[in-house]
Amino acid sequence: MMYQDRDLRILFTANLPESWPGEDEVKGKTDSALFGEAQASVISIAKREVLESGEADKLEIQRDSDQDRHWFLLHIDPDIDEDGKVIGVLTTILDIDDVKYRETVLKTLLRELSHRSKNLLAIIQSIASQTARYADDLETFLFAFRNRIQSMAQSQDLVTASDWRGAELFALTRSQLEPLVGKRSPRFGMAGEDAYLFPNAALHLGLALHELTIDSLAKGALGPAGGSIELASRQRVNGNGEPELVVRWTETFARPPDAGTPREGTKAGFSGTVLGRIVPQALSASVEHDTNQDRMVYQLTIPSTQYELHPKR
């Protein structure tokens, strides 16, 4: 705290930080003795307005101390005598470093949330337009669109639960398959390295897994063709000496899949767009997608910028 007369001369101080000048050093001086010339000019203007108006005011300032910059909140109150005349100002100085730090973190989080929300809206817009493009009627569109939005929501839940760090590949896969085929399906297995996917990779790969599952139920190993599916994941080093993750979905058919015109959502429709273009582009990944009478293989080769094997806890 500090008290000043109408000329803003400091008459006394109390409980100032140890690193600040002591009372004997600043007594009789002005704000520049405590805050420096640049800040003192701003502070003095605020205090003179309080002296003139008789109304309290407050001001946030920064002050360098111990080679660090700190935030302070000044509560400036008028000292009014019995005749109603303002004879001085009493300033209460509060350290608000913690408050400003929380404000900075909150602003950063809000900017990040805004950025991610825009990305999600762009993805949803793309899903809606592409689903409508390949749907024969409104009922078909609504059914497919709702399922795809639910798929995104499941991936989003995993990403949010991790404080936006991402999602584990195998947990992401289970979140996409279980609503459609139930838990512990005997036809499905996972093997290899359970990589930790960063948020963008998790959202898009979740959409790819949803489309693969829907296609399999319609005409593949989980449906009329019978057989089994394995999701395998392994890290390797490419020709440039850089690590990359190979994620491979392999369907082995018990009988040849039915030939015929693909339905909405198969490789020739929205699913083909997701698996062949949208997901590889979003992950900067290369893709292989081959089908014959015996099996179907969908493989993504994902750069290390999209995942890590041992996430930092």
Side-chain angles (χ1 to χ4, degrees):
M1 299 182 67
M2 59 185 295
Y3 180 80
Q4 295 163 280
D5 60 18
R6 287 192 59 86
D7 295 324
L8 297 183
R9 289 190 300 266
I10 299 172
L11 301 185
F12 76 82
T13 62
N15 299 323
L16 295 181
E18 293 182 0
S19 59
W20 290 29
E23 183 174 2
D24 292 340
E25 299 176 73
V26 299
K27 191 172 183 178
K29 298 181 180 178
T30 60
D31 287 304
S32 59
L34 282 176
F35 302 105
E37 292 294 340
Q39 290 284 21
S41 62
V42 176
I43 296 170
S44 296
I45 291 173
K47 290 182 176 179
R48 292 193 184 282
E49 290 179 355
V50 172
L51 287 169
E52 293 300 321
S53 66
E55 296 181 359
D57 197 2
K58 58 184 178 181
L59 178 69
E60 290 184 0
I61 65 164
Q62 286 182 301
R63 184 184 187 280
D64 293 331
S65 178
D66 299 328
Q67 299 182 342
D68 290 320
R69 179 160 292 185
H70 299 278
W71 281 95
F72 296 92
L73 176 63
L74 308 185
H75 282 278
I76 308 169
D77 294 288
D79 179 23
I80 303 175
D81 65 11
E82 295 179 354
D83 298 326
K85 181 180 178 181
V86 180
I87 59 174
V89 290
L90 178 67
T91 305
T92 304
I93 307 169
L94 303 177
D95 185 334
I96 57 170
D97 272 348
D98 288 345
V99 174
K100 300 302 289 188
Y101 173 76
R102 289 194 293 271
E103 287 180 359
T104 301
V105 171
L106 181 59
K107 288 178 181 178
T108 301
L109 290 174
L110 289 174
R111 283 195 297 268
E112 181 69 12
L113 177 61
S114 175
H115 172 71
R116 295 187 185 277
S117 297
K118 290 176 182 177
N119 285 345
L120 283 174
L121 290 173
I123 296 171
I124 292 170
Q125 183 181 31
S126 176
I127 290 174
S129 61
Q130 291 293 332
T131 301
R133 179 181 178 185
Y134 294 105
D136 295 329
D137 51 45
L138 179 60
E139 184 178 355
T140 303
F141 165 77
L142 290 175
F143 179 79
F145 182 67
R146 286 167 181 162
N147 284 338
R148 285 159 183 157
I149 294 301
Q150 182 60 36
S151 166
M152 285 193 61
Q154 289 157 353
S155 299
Q156 181 72 22
D157 284 345
L158 291 176
V159 172
T160 303
S162 70
D163 294 329
W164 284 93
R165 290 184 299 110
E168 293 173 341
L169 172 61
F170 291 169
L172 178 69
T173 304
R174 286 191 293 270
S175 77
Q176 295 300 324
L177 267 74
E178 287 179 2
L180 298 171
V181 301
K183 294 183 179 180
R184 300 183 180 89
S185 172
R187 294 189 183 186
F188 182 82
M190 294 182 289
E193 297 171 290
D194 190 8
Y196 202 89
L197 303 167
F198 297 148
N200 177 68
L203 292 175
H204 283 88
L205 189 54
L207 186 58
L209 291 166
H210 172 79
E211 296 302 322
L212 288 166
T213 305
I214 291 294
D215 282 358
S216 183
L217 287 166
K219 57 187 176 62
L222 294 175
S228 62
I229 302 176
E230 180 183 73
L231 180 83
S233 169
R234 66 183 178 90
Q235 181 174 258
R236 70 183 184 189
V237 177
N238 63 23
N240 297 322
E242 300 170 341
E244 58 188 16
L245 185 71
V246 180
V247 178
R248 185 181 181 93
W249 171 288
T250 304
E251 296 191 34
T252 303
F253 303 134
R255 64 190 69 87
D258 293 336
T261 303
R263 58 184 269 288
E264 190 283 325
T266 62
K267 188 175 180 180
F270 177 84
S271 180
T273 302
V274 169
L275 299 174
R277 180 170 60 84
I278 295 176
V279 171
Q281 287 181 359
L283 273 64
S284 301
S286 61
V287 60
E288 298 177 23
H289 193 182
D290 299 309
T291 303
N292 56 39
Q293 294 297 303
D294 299 319
R295 66 176 187 167
M296 186 280 285
V297 175
Y298 179 75
Q299 177 176 296
L300 287 171
T301 303
I302 303 171
S304 59
T305 54
Q306 301 291 334
Y307 75 94
E308 61 183 1
L309 288 185
H310 303 288
K312 297 177 182 179
R313 297 291 184 180

